[in-house]
Amino acid sequence: MKDQQTELENAAAAAQKGAPAPAEDPLAALRQERDRLAAENADLQDRLLRRMAEFENFRRRVEREKAEIREFAAMEAIRPLLPVLDDLDRALQVETADKEFSRGMELIRQRLHAELQKMGLEPVPAAGQKFDPNIHHAIEMRQTEEAEDHSVLEELQKGYTFRGRLLRPAMVRVAVAPPKDSGQDQRTDG
């Protein structure tokens, strides 16, 4: 009898302390934990993908900036050579008695132009072209009927682009149409 009473007291004490939940409660807790971990995993995956995309964008931006720096450096290295090209062109326009010397200078100029052209240097078209303030620098405006209005009459200094960017504008003389005479200017004295 005493054993039965002890068993009953132990069962009552266990009930008061919080007896084990029915079999469904541990399964529900596991499902809830699984769902929480799956959501956390999805969040971490999303964050990882975003960081990877940000890093890829950063890498591309750095590569683009490096290319721009290299291009700018090359552009600045070529800029001081432009007066040398101008001097070579002017020197070749002068008549000389030594034809071999003149031919040698011409070959040097051609080779220098060819090498700079391989690097990306291109002359700006000027003479006979329509004046474009983006690539031409007007030094003088001359009234004439012999050329189209706002066209380049003469190139005074060559302009150059480097890999599509303007390195130096061409200095030009521009044609301007003379003012048209109106009928009011013709007077007869009398």
Side-chain angles (χ1 to χ4, degrees), residues 162-183:
F162 184 74
R163 296 182 185 164
R165 290 185 178 176
L166 185 66
L167 186 59
R168 180 177 79 181
M171 292 188 186
V172 296
R173 184 171 288 132
V174 180
V176 178
K180 295 184 179 179
D181 292 333
S182 61

PDB file of all heavy atoms in Angstrom, residues 162-183:
ATOM      1  N   PHE A 162      42.714  61.501 -79.504  1.00  0.00           N
ATOM      2  CA  PHE A 162      43.425  60.324 -79.026  1.00  0.00           C
ATOM      3  C   PHE A 162      42.390  59.344 -78.513  1.00  0.00           C
ATOM      4  O   PHE A 162      41.691  59.631 -77.543  1.00  0.00           O
ATOM      5  CB  PHE A 162      44.416  60.696 -77.923  1.00  0.00           C
ATOM      6  CG  PHE A 162      45.239  59.538 -77.447  1.00  0.00           C
ATOM      7  CD1 PHE A 162      46.262  59.031 -78.233  1.00  0.00           C
ATOM      8  CD2 PHE A 162      44.986  58.945 -76.228  1.00  0.00           C
ATOM      9  CE1 PHE A 162      47.022  57.963 -77.806  1.00  0.00           C
ATOM     10  CE2 PHE A 162      45.747  57.876 -75.791  1.00  0.00           C
ATOM     11  CZ  PHE A 162      46.765  57.385 -76.579  1.00  0.00           C
ATOM     12  N   ARG A 163      42.267  58.214 -79.209  1.00  0.00           N
ATOM     13  CA  ARG A 163      41.289  57.176 -78.872  1.00  0.00           C
ATOM     14  C   ARG A 163      39.887  57.759 -78.725  1.00  0.00           C
ATOM     15  O   ARG A 163      39.153  57.450 -77.794  1.00  0.00           O
ATOM     16  CB  ARG A 163      41.705  56.443 -77.608  1.00  0.00           C
ATOM     17  CG  ARG A 163      42.998  55.690 -77.765  1.00  0.00           C
ATOM     18  CD  ARG A 163      43.371  54.944 -76.533  1.00  0.00           C
ATOM     19  NE  ARG A 163      44.682  54.335 -76.700  1.00  0.00           N
ATOM     20  CZ  ARG A 163      45.416  53.881 -75.715  1.00  0.00           C
ATOM     21  NH1 ARG A 163      44.974  53.948 -74.483  1.00  0.00           N
ATOM     22  NH2 ARG A 163      46.587  53.361 -75.934  1.00  0.00           N
ATOM     23  N   GLY A 164      39.539  58.642 -79.655  1.00  0.00           N
ATOM     24  CA  GLY A 164      38.194  59.198 -79.692  1.00  0.00           C
ATOM     25  C   GLY A 164      37.994  60.441 -78.841  1.00  0.00           C
ATOM     26  O   GLY A 164      36.950  61.075 -78.919  1.00  0.00           O
ATOM     27  N   ARG A 165      38.978  60.814 -78.039  1.00  0.00           N
ATOM     28  CA  ARG A 165      38.858  62.023 -77.205  1.00  0.00           C
ATOM     29  C   ARG A 165      39.708  63.129 -77.813  1.00  0.00           C
ATOM     30  O   ARG A 165      40.814  62.899 -78.275  1.00  0.00           O
ATOM     31  CB  ARG A 165      39.360  61.760 -75.788  1.00  0.00           C
ATOM     32  CG  ARG A 165      38.473  60.852 -75.015  1.00  0.00           C
ATOM     33  CD  ARG A 165      38.974  60.752 -73.604  1.00  0.00           C
ATOM     34  NE  ARG A 165      38.099  59.907 -72.818  1.00  0.00           N
ATOM     35  CZ  ARG A 165      38.335  59.589 -71.577  1.00  0.00           C
ATOM     36  NH1 ARG A 165      39.403  60.039 -70.966  1.00  0.00           N
ATOM     37  NH2 ARG A 165      37.505  58.823 -70.924  1.00  0.00           N
ATOM     38  N   LEU A 166      39.180  64.341 -77.757  1.00  0.00           N
ATOM     39  CA  LEU A 166      39.907  65.480 -78.314  1.00  0.00           C
ATOM     40  C   LEU A 166      41.143  65.750 -77.471  1.00  0.00           C
ATOM     41  O   LEU A 166      41.062  65.960 -76.263  1.00  0.00           O
ATOM     42  CB  LEU A 166      39.004  66.713 -78.355  1.00  0.00           C
ATOM     43  CG  LEU A 166      39.613  67.941 -79.026  1.00  0.00           C
ATOM     44  CD1 LEU A 166      39.822  67.668 -80.518  1.00  0.00           C
ATOM     45  CD2 LEU A 166      38.717  69.141 -78.839  1.00  0.00           C
ATOM     46  N   LEU A 167      42.295  65.721 -78.126  1.00  0.00           N
ATOM     47  CA  LEU A 167      43.558  66.009 -77.454  1.00  0.00           C
ATOM     48  C   LEU A 167      43.920  67.476 -77.634  1.00  0.00           C
ATOM     49  O   LEU A 167      44.345  68.149 -76.693  1.00  0.00           O
ATOM     50  CB  LEU A 167      44.656  65.107 -78.020  1.00  0.00           C
ATOM     51  CG  LEU A 167      46.016  65.149 -77.374  1.00  0.00           C
ATOM     52  CD1 LEU A 167      45.924  64.786 -75.899  1.00  0.00           C
ATOM     53  CD2 LEU A 167      46.967  64.195 -78.065  1.00  0.00           C
ATOM     54  N   ARG A 168      43.738  67.979 -78.865  1.00  0.00           N
ATOM     55  CA  ARG A 168      44.000  69.387 -79.163  1.00  0.00           C
ATOM     56  C   ARG A 168      43.098  69.791 -80.321  1.00  0.00           C
ATOM     57  O   ARG A 168      43.058  69.114 -81.348  1.00  0.00           O
ATOM     58  CB  ARG A 168      45.468  69.574 -79.545  1.00  0.00           C
ATOM     59  CG  ARG A 168      45.809  71.016 -79.861  1.00  0.00           C
ATOM     60  CD  ARG A 168      47.273  71.200 -80.157  1.00  0.00           C
ATOM     61  NE  ARG A 168      47.589  70.788 -81.521  1.00  0.00           N
ATOM     62  CZ  ARG A 168      48.808  70.824 -82.036  1.00  0.00           C
ATOM     63  NH1 ARG A 168      49.827  71.220 -81.312  1.00  0.00           N
ATOM     64  NH2 ARG A 168      49.016  70.447 -83.269  1.00  0.00           N
ATOM     65  N   PRO A 169      42.348  70.895 -80.175  1.00  0.00           N
ATOM     66  CA  PRO A 169      41.502  71.332 -81.291  1.00  0.00           C
ATOM     67  C   PRO A 169      42.353  71.907 -82.420  1.00  0.00           C
ATOM     68  O   PRO A 169      43.450  72.418 -82.189  1.00  0.00           O
ATOM     69  CB  PRO A 169      40.607  72.412 -80.663  1.00  0.00           C
ATOM     70  CG  PRO A 169      41.380  72.914 -79.493  1.00  0.00           C
ATOM     71  CD  PRO A 169      42.212  71.769 -79.004  1.00  0.00           C
ATOM     72  N   ALA A 170      41.838  71.808 -83.627  1.00  0.00           N
ATOM     73  CA  ALA A 170      42.528  72.385 -84.781  1.00  0.00           C
ATOM     74  C   ALA A 170      42.293  73.892 -84.781  1.00  0.00           C
ATOM     75  O   ALA A 170      41.163  74.355 -84.596  1.00  0.00           O
ATOM     76  CB  ALA A 170      41.991  71.769 -86.069  1.00  0.00           C
ATOM     77  N   MET A 171      43.376  74.658 -84.948  1.00  0.00           N
ATOM     78  CA  MET A 171      43.243  76.114 -85.050  1.00  0.00           C
ATOM     79  C   MET A 171      43.000  76.446 -86.510  1.00  0.00           C
ATOM     80  O   MET A 171      43.810  76.073 -87.372  1.00  0.00           O
ATOM     81  CB  MET A 171      44.487  76.805 -84.519  1.00  0.00           C
ATOM     82  CG  MET A 171      44.655  76.631 -83.041  1.00  0.00           C
ATOM     83  SD  MET A 171      46.000  77.645 -82.457  1.00  0.00           S
ATOM     84  CE  MET A 171      46.072  77.113 -80.768  1.00  0.00           C
ATOM     85  N   VAL A 172      41.879  77.145 -86.771  1.00  0.00           N
ATOM     86  CA  VAL A 172      41.456  77.323 -88.157  1.00  0.00           C
ATOM     87  C   VAL A 172      41.030  78.755 -88.453  1.00  0.00           C
ATOM     88  O   VAL A 172      40.730  79.538 -87.547  1.00  0.00           O
ATOM     89  CB  VAL A 172      40.280  76.370 -88.483  1.00  0.00           C
ATOM     90  CG1 VAL A 172      40.703  74.921 -88.387  1.00  0.00           C
ATOM     91  CG2 VAL A 172      39.092  76.638 -87.583  1.00  0.00           C
ATOM     92  N   ARG A 173      41.007  79.031 -89.755  1.00  0.00           N
ATOM     93  CA  ARG A 173      40.460  80.282 -90.272  1.00  0.00           C
ATOM     94  C   ARG A 173      39.114  79.911 -90.892  1.00  0.00           C
ATOM     95  O   ARG A 173      39.027  78.970 -91.685  1.00  0.00           O
ATOM     96  CB  ARG A 173      41.402  80.850 -91.326  1.00  0.00           C
ATOM     97  CG  ARG A 173      40.987  82.195 -91.867  1.00  0.00           C
ATOM     98  CD  ARG A 173      42.089  82.794 -92.737  1.00  0.00           C
ATOM     99  NE  ARG A 173      43.192  83.227 -91.889  1.00  0.00           N
ATOM    100  CZ  ARG A 173      44.473  82.952 -92.113  1.00  0.00           C
ATOM    101  NH1 ARG A 173      44.829  82.249 -93.166  1.00  0.00           N
ATOM    102  NH2 ARG A 173      45.421  83.370 -91.301  1.00  0.00           N
ATOM    103  N   VAL A 174      38.054  80.627 -90.514  1.00  0.00           N
ATOM    104  CA  VAL A 174      36.689  80.260 -90.892  1.00  0.00           C
ATOM    105  C   VAL A 174      36.105  81.279 -91.871  1.00  0.00           C
ATOM    106  O   VAL A 174      36.287  82.491 -91.715  1.00  0.00           O
ATOM    107  CB  VAL A 174      35.800  80.163 -89.629  1.00  0.00           C
ATOM    108  CG1 VAL A 174      34.374  79.785 -89.992  1.00  0.00           C
ATOM    109  CG2 VAL A 174      36.379  79.176 -88.638  1.00  0.00           C
ATOM    110  N   ALA A 175      35.393  80.772 -92.863  1.00  0.00           N
ATOM    111  CA  ALA A 175      34.719  81.621 -93.850  1.00  0.00           C
ATOM    112  C   ALA A 175      33.388  82.095 -93.294  1.00  0.00           C
ATOM    113  O   ALA A 175      32.656  81.332 -92.660  1.00  0.00           O
ATOM    114  CB  ALA A 175      34.489  80.847 -95.136  1.00  0.00           C
ATOM    115  N   VAL A 176      33.113  83.369 -93.537  1.00  0.00           N
ATOM    116  CA  VAL A 176      31.834  83.957 -93.136  1.00  0.00           C
ATOM    117  C   VAL A 176      31.266  84.653 -94.360  1.00  0.00           C
ATOM    118  O   VAL A 176      31.993  85.348 -95.086  1.00  0.00           O
ATOM    119  CB  VAL A 176      32.018  84.971 -91.981  1.00  0.00           C
ATOM    120  CG1 VAL A 176      30.698  85.604 -91.597  1.00  0.00           C
ATOM    121  CG2 VAL A 176      32.663  84.315 -90.783  1.00  0.00           C
ATOM    122  N   ALA A 177      29.984  84.488 -94.593  1.00  0.00           N
ATOM    123  CA  ALA A 177      29.340  85.140 -95.738  1.00  0.00           C
ATOM    124  C   ALA A 177      29.311  86.645 -95.503  1.00  0.00           C
ATOM    125  O   ALA A 177      29.026  87.103 -94.392  1.00  0.00           O
ATOM    126  CB  ALA A 177      27.925  84.604 -95.920  1.00  0.00           C
ATOM    127  N   PRO A 178      29.635  87.424 -96.535  1.00  0.00           N
ATOM    128  CA  PRO A 178      29.575  88.881 -96.374  1.00  0.00           C
ATOM    129  C   PRO A 178      28.130  89.318 -96.186  1.00  0.00           C
ATOM    130  O   PRO A 178      27.195  88.635 -96.617  1.00  0.00           O
ATOM    131  CB  PRO A 178      30.166  89.413 -97.675  1.00  0.00           C
ATOM    132  CG  PRO A 178      30.120  88.294 -98.636  1.00  0.00           C
ATOM    133  CD  PRO A 178      30.051  87.027 -97.859  1.00  0.00           C
ATOM    134  N   PRO A 179      27.954  90.444 -95.525  1.00  0.00           N
ATOM    135  CA  PRO A 179      26.579  90.918 -95.323  1.00  0.00           C
ATOM    136  C   PRO A 179      25.927  91.221 -96.676  1.00  0.00           C
ATOM    137  O   PRO A 179      26.573  91.718 -97.589  1.00  0.00           O
ATOM    138  CB  PRO A 179      26.736  92.178 -94.476  1.00  0.00           C
ATOM    139  CG  PRO A 179      28.167  92.553 -94.545  1.00  0.00           C
ATOM    140  CD  PRO A 179      28.939  91.351 -94.966  1.00  0.00           C
ATOM    141  N   LYS A 180      24.659  90.900 -96.751  1.00  0.00           N
ATOM    142  CA  LYS A 180      23.937  91.118 -98.010  1.00  0.00           C
ATOM    143  C   LYS A 180      23.521  92.574 -98.093  1.00  0.00           C
ATOM    144  O   LYS A 180      23.068  93.160 -97.112  1.00  0.00           O
ATOM    145  CB  LYS A 180      22.709  90.220 -98.081  1.00  0.00           C
ATOM    146  CG  LYS A 180      23.104  88.769 -98.131  1.00  0.00           C
ATOM    147  CD  LYS A 180      21.919  87.883 -98.295  1.00  0.00           C
ATOM    148  CE  LYS A 180      22.421  86.445 -98.358  1.00  0.00           C
ATOM    149  NZ  LYS A 180      21.381  85.498 -98.487  1.00  0.00           N
ATOM    150  N   ASP A 181      23.693  93.123 -99.294  1.00  0.00           N
ATOM    151  CA  ASP A 181      23.294  94.528 -99.518  1.00  0.00           C
ATOM    152  C   ASP A 181      21.790  94.597 -99.625  1.00  0.00           C
ATOM    153  O   ASP A 181      21.146  93.800-100.287  1.00  0.00           O
ATOM    154  CB  ASP A 181      23.910  95.071-100.812  1.00  0.00           C
ATOM    155  CG  ASP A 181      25.425  95.214-100.686  1.00  0.00           C
ATOM    156  OD1 ASP A 181      25.900  95.404 -99.556  1.00  0.00           O
ATOM    157  OD2 ASP A 181      26.094  95.123-101.733  1.00  0.00           O
ATOM    158  N   SER A 182      21.214  95.583 -98.977  1.00  0.00           N
ATOM    159  CA  SER A 182      19.772  95.765 -99.081  1.00  0.00           C
ATOM    160  C   SER A 182      19.502  96.918-100.048  1.00  0.00           C
ATOM    161  O   SER A 182      20.375  97.718-100.360  1.00  0.00           O
ATOM    162  CB  SER A 182      19.164  96.078 -97.705  1.00  0.00           C
ATOM    163  OG  SER A 182      19.719  97.268 -97.213  1.00  0.00           O
ATOM    164  N   GLY A 183      18.327  97.016-100.501  1.00  0.00           N
ATOM    165  CA  GLY A 183      17.947  98.022-101.471  1.00  0.00           C
ATOM    166  C   GLY A 183      18.056  99.432-100.935  1.00  0.00           C
ATOM    167  O   GLY A 183      18.112 100.384-101.658  1.00  0.00           O
TER     168      GLY A 183
END
